[in-house]
Amino acid sequence: MPTFADAIARIRIATWAEDDEAVSGLREAALSWGPDAGKVADAAIALDRGDTESAVASLNQAHILQHEARDEASRLRAEALLEGGRPADALLVLDGMSGDDA
C-alpha cells in the first residue's frame, strides 16, 4: 500500500511532467488521507519551485489529515523553513518526531 509520502511524490512528478490529467487523478486519490491533502501537495510543489513562503503558507492551512499525512506535512514544513533560512524553526517542527526522515 502506498504511503502518503509516495502519493505526494507522484503528484510532484506528474506536475513536473505537466501531465494535468494524472495530476488531477492523483490529487483526488490523495484526498483519502484527509481533505487538506491537496494543500500538502501544493506545498511540495511550491518547494520544487523554490517558493518556500508559499510552501509554508499552504502547510499552515493543512489541518485535517491522518497521522501519517501530518508527519509528511511536518517534514515538508521543516524543509521549507530550512530552505527559507529558518533552521531553528525547522528543528522545532521536527521536535518529538522519530524515524529516518525526521
Side-chain angles (χ1 to χ4, degrees):
M1 171 176 263
T3 66
F4 185 71
D6 293 337
I8 296 300
R10 287 183 178 112
I11 293 169
R12 291 170 105 165
I13 291 167
T15 299
W16 176 81
E18 298 179 357
D19 187 346
D20 295 336
E21 187 175 322
V23 170
S24 178
L26 291 166
R27 288 178 72 90
E28 186 175 325
L31 292 177
S32 68
W33 297 93
D36 288 346
K39 293 173 182 156
V40 178
D42 293 342
I45 292 164
L47 278 173
D48 291 342
R49 293 180 177 148
D51 187 354
T52 59
E53 289 181 27
S54 291
V56 171
S58 291
L59 291 166
N60 285 342
Q61 297 174 17
H63 304 290
I64 305 170
L65 298 165
Q66 292 180 18
H67 179 72
E68 182 183 341
R70 283 193 310 269
D71 285 351
E72 179 65 13
S74 293
R75 285 187 286 275
L76 287 169
R77 181 186 312 278
E79 181 182 343
L81 291 168
L82 184 61
E83 289 183 18
R86 298 169 53 191
D89 292 335
L91 287 173
L92 287 174
V93 169
L94 296 175
D95 189 41
M97 289 181 67
S98 61
D100 293 338
D101 289 335

